[in-house]
Amino acid sequence: MAEQSRVIELRHVDKHYDKLHVLQDINLTVHKGEVVVLIGPSGSGKSTLCRTINRLETIDSGEILIEGEPLPQEGKALAQMRAEIGMVFQSFNLFAHKTILQNVTLGPIEVLKTPKDVAEREAMELLERVGVAEQAHKVPAQLSGGQQQRVAIARSLAMHPKAMLFDEPTSALDPEMINEVLEVMVELAQEGMTMVVVTHEMNFARRVSNRVVFMADGQIVEEGAPDEFFDRPKSQRAKDFLDSIRGH
Amino acid sequence: MSAHTTSMRDALYEAPGPRTKLLTLIGTIVSLVLVCIGLALVIQQFRITGQLDAKYWAFYTNMNTWRFLFDGFLGTIKVAAMAAVLSLALGVVLMLGRTSGIKVLEIVCRVIIDFFRGVPSLLLIYFFYLAMPQYGVRLPPFWMITLPVALAASGVLAEVFRAGVNAVPKGQTEAALSIGLTPGKTMFKIVLPQALRIVVPSLISQLVVVVKDTTVAYVVSYPDLMQNARVLLTTHDAVVSVYLVVAIIYILVNFAINQLSIYMARRSGNPIISRTTENPT
């Protein structure tokens, strides 16, 4: 594919936590409109990898490129880049002291300098779209987990991101709330959003992703099209992992 | 996910059974009786020593007494309010310095914080009142009491704020950074507002300390409530009656601070409800 369609690119990325080598020579390219799912056992480094992309985690060596440009290390440039990449967290992290509406408008008003009324109109449209518009004036703690996570997605979307990172977006949810969040994510994928998703939701991975990246012990062990990966995993580790989660 | 927090009482004690209820009732009655006996003894003692004689209380019918006390009260409020504002601002600045990540600044702020926390405010007052004039710096009495009290409180407040900032979940910072807020904006828009609300109880205690610290204003001859009370009690030779009334005024002031803080914490934004959803695992 053409150079400019590469939205996220990691080249030979390494990271240690003290002696633990959590990311080992990671090479990963995400093209425009692609949905890449990161899976693997816990402690495999997939969340860490996801978080390096907007520098919530630093790296020891290697390169991260966003649309061909090196990831800024600090200051306005870094903030600017983060504004362009949405992030959805496992524990939602909605601003606890702000209303749902304020959670969504804060970024546009403070960072994009969108006029308040415009920001609010857009925010209401987004909240409508993720199905929580009627909760707009409540505070996060008054919402269910599934609702909070949908607000978190709306908060990211309000920044008109080039790509979105999802760090285990459904892992903290009660089972009956997982689908309402996944549905929003499926919609996003279908609209062509570039997405990197760390998840244990195998059905979502199979149905929506263009590529599955399997990680173990800080390494990318194998990657491939979802059907291929789930039906004919090449590595023994992937086979073991798939067996363990399928409960065989 | 429930919208109400467990009260301290519920958290510390389980619901009482019949035996506990009986014991509680007995305890209540016994302590009530003891309190009444204690009060009676105090009043009796006052009567024996003549503290309840009309001469000790008659001057309260004179409006000038109240005006004089009120002037003192205003003095106390002025010093306390200015000291509170200064110490809150300085406390935030010191806390930001201490957590700035810039090593030298962190050490400097830490030394300042520990110094003001460790030194009694009376000693600071003597410094402003006795030491500084020797080097040609002679501040008006108002500042000779306000500055030391503010400085002493700022050290404690810096630590209170730091505890509050640390208590705000890390995810709040990460979320703020991830939508493109700069670290500075993240601190002022997201972390500090939540930290402030977490530390409201400690903040109240510290403001009460500030009010109490102002009572040494007599050292620098600033006419606060305590200083005017001293004048009043020498004029009328009425120690108990004056100090009793003044004590009640201080209690009322501190009660008012308490209520005001709670009111402002509520008003400063949306209600903080239990954060059970913050760190689910």
Side-chain angles (χ1 to χ4, degrees):
Chain A
M1 283 197 225
E3 181 71 30
Q4 79 226 50
S5 83
R6 297 179 178 189
V7 182
I8 299 165
E9 200 175 352
L10 287 81
R11 291 181 189 161
H12 305 295
V13 167
D14 272 278
K15 181 183 176 69
H16 296 77
Y17 284 134
D18 287 326
K19 280 182 195 126
L20 196 64
H21 203 166
V22 285
L23 294 179
Q24 300 178 27
D25 192 32
I26 299 292
N27 290 283
L28 179 71
T29 303
V30 182
H31 295 95
K32 196 166 178 4
E34 228 185 348
V35 177
V36 173
V37 163
L38 300 178
I39 66 169
S42 63
S44 60
K46 52 196 193 306
S47 271
T48 308
L49 171 57
C50 183
R51 289 160 54 88
T52 60
I53 297 171
N54 66 354
R55 209 178 181 276
L56 286 181
E57 298 279 353
T58 55
I59 58 175
D60 298 341
S61 61
E63 263 191 306
I64 297 176
L65 306 174
I66 305 297
E67 295 193 324
E69 299 292 322
L71 182 64
Q73 298 294 295
E74 59 203 329
K76 279 260 177 331
L78 177 60
Q80 169 71 25
M81 186 282 301
R82 281 173 172 158
E84 292 170 3
I85 295 182
M87 178 135 195
V88 175
F89 300 86
Q90 179 178 353
S91 48
F92 331 134
N93 297 346
L94 293 182
F95 305 129
H97 62 310
K98 300 210 171 276
T99 64
I100 297 308
L101 185 63
Q102 288 168 335
N103 263 276
V104 182
T105 57
L106 184 81
I109 292 172
E110 293 293 332
V111 180
L112 306 177
K113 309 292 176 199
T114 311
K116 193 171 174 228
D117 54 327
V118 179
E120 286 185 349
R121 203 173 333 121
E122 273 192 28
M124 284 312 295
E125 282 166 21
L126 285 168
L127 290 174
E128 192 79 52
R129 187 170 145 194
V130 299
V132 283
E134 45 317 340
Q135 320 285 345
H137 298 288
K138 292 186 180 168
V139 290
Q142 290 170 293
L143 270 60
S144 74
Q147 289 173 325
Q148 290 194 56
Q149 195 60 300
R150 285 182 280 153
V151 174
I153 295 173
R155 175 174 69 180
S156 286
L157 288 175
M159 301 301 289
H160 305 292
K162 291 172 180 163
M164 285 189 60
L165 311 172
F166 293 83
D167 185 6
E168 303 206 24
T170 57
S171 299
L173 295 175
D174 291 336
E176 76 270 22
M177 293 171 182
I178 291 175
N179 276 332
E180 64 190 49
V181 171
L182 289 181
E183 269 162 37
V184 174
M185 292 169 62
V186 171
E187 249 177 64
L188 274 179
Q190 284 164 352
E191 286 164 18
M193 175 63 77
T194 308
M195 295 162 65
V196 174
V197 185
V198 177
T199 188
H200 297 295
E201 295 298 325
M202 299 305 148
N203 285 332
F204 171 83
R206 195 190 266 270
R207 194 153 62 106
V208 179
S209 74
N210 301 102
R211 191 148 42 104
V212 173
V213 174
F214 175 72
M215 287 185 75
D217 301 325
Q219 290 170 320
I220 293 181
V221 177
E222 78 174 84
E223 58 183 306
D227 285 341
E228 196 184 328
F229 174 79
F230 286 114
D231 298 337
R232 292 175 295 282
K234 292 190 281 276
S235 64
Q236 188 56 44
R237 279 166 120 168
K239 279 178 198 150
D240 292 346
F241 175 72
L242 288 173
D243 281 349
S244 71
I245 57 169
R246 283 167 184 156
H248 291 177
Chain B
M1 192 176 49
S2 87
H4 38 106
T5 44
T6 320
S7 75
M8 189 69 86
R9 198 191 154 83
D10 294 339
L12 288 180
Y13 305 104
E14 57 178 344
R19 201 177 108 87
T20 315
K21 275 184 184 157
L22 184 66
L23 285 175
T24 310
L25 184 66
I26 294 171
T28 308
I29 292 167
V30 169
S31 46
L32 213 65
V33 170
L34 286 178
V35 166
C36 289
I37 293 173
L39 271 178
L41 283 176
V42 168
I43 291 170
Q44 178 62 12
Q45 196 60 28
F46 278 172
R47 223 203 334 248
I48 292 168
T49 52
Q51 287 299 337
L52 297 181
D53 292 0
K55 64 168 178 171
Y56 290 126
W57 298 90
F59 57 90
Y60 286 113
T61 55
N62 186 339
M63 271 321 281
N64 284 332
T65 303
W66 290 106
R67 206 163 294 144
F68 189 61
L69 279 175
F70 185 72
D71 284 346
F73 169 79
L74 278 188
T76 291
I77 294 297
K78 275 187 216 157
V79 171
M82 180 58 86
V85 169
L86 286 179
S87 63
L88 286 170
L90 194 57
V92 170
V93 170
L94 285 173
M95 181 275 291
L96 290 176
R98 208 195 143 170
T99 56
S100 62
I102 305 164
K103 266 275 154 337
V104 178
L105 187 59
E106 280 187 3
I107 293 169
V108 169
C109 286
R110 197 170 170 169
V111 168
I112 295 175
I113 289 167
D114 285 346
F115 178 80
F116 287 134
R117 271 204 319 166
V119 174
S121 50
L122 187 57
L123 204 147
L124 289 174
I125 292 168
Y126 280 142
F127 175 78
F128 278 83
Y129 180 58
L130 299 173
M132 278 176 49
Q134 297 203 359
Y135 301 95
V137 185
R138 187 164 190 91
L139 298 173
F142 175 79
W143 292 108
M144 282 200 287
I145 177 69
T146 303
L147 285 179
V149 168
L151 290 174
S154 68
V156 180
L157 286 175
E159 288 299 281
V160 167
F161 289 141
R162 196 166 65 94
V165 165
N166 286 338
V168 175
K170 194 108 182 24
Q172 296 285 309
T173 304
E174 290 184 350
L177 292 174
S178 80
I179 57 168
L181 292 192
T182 56
K185 268 196 177 170
T186 299
M187 177 57 86
F188 283 101
K189 297 266 172 193
I190 303 299
V191 180
L192 263 186
Q194 296 186 53
L196 280 181
R197 269 189 253 179
I198 294 171
V199 300
V200 161
S202 318
L203 230 48
I204 296 170
S205 340
Q206 199 48 40
L207 289 181
V208 168
V209 170
V210 164
V211 172
K212 288 185 183 177
D213 271 0
T214 62
T215 54
V216 280
Y218 70 85
V219 173
V220 300
S221 314
Y222 180 79
D224 78 328
L225 181 56
M226 201 63 184
Q227 165 71 2
N228 285 6
R230 283 163 62 87
V231 173
L232 209 59
L233 75 87
T234 25
T235 321
H236 299 282
D237 190 28
V239 182
V240 172
S241 85
V242 169
Y243 278 154
L244 215 58
V245 168
V246 168
I248 290 169
I249 296 176
Y250 274 114
I251 289 170
L252 289 178
V253 168
N254 285 327
F255 181 73
I257 290 176
N258 202 339
Q259 295 304 106
L260 189 71
S261 314
I262 294 169
Y263 171 74
M264 286 191 353
R266 284 220 188 102
R267 255 206 48 171
S268 67
N270 310 301
I272 285 260
I273 310 172
S274 70
R275 350 170 126 246
T276 46
T277 55
E278 276 297 332
N279 282 312
T281 21

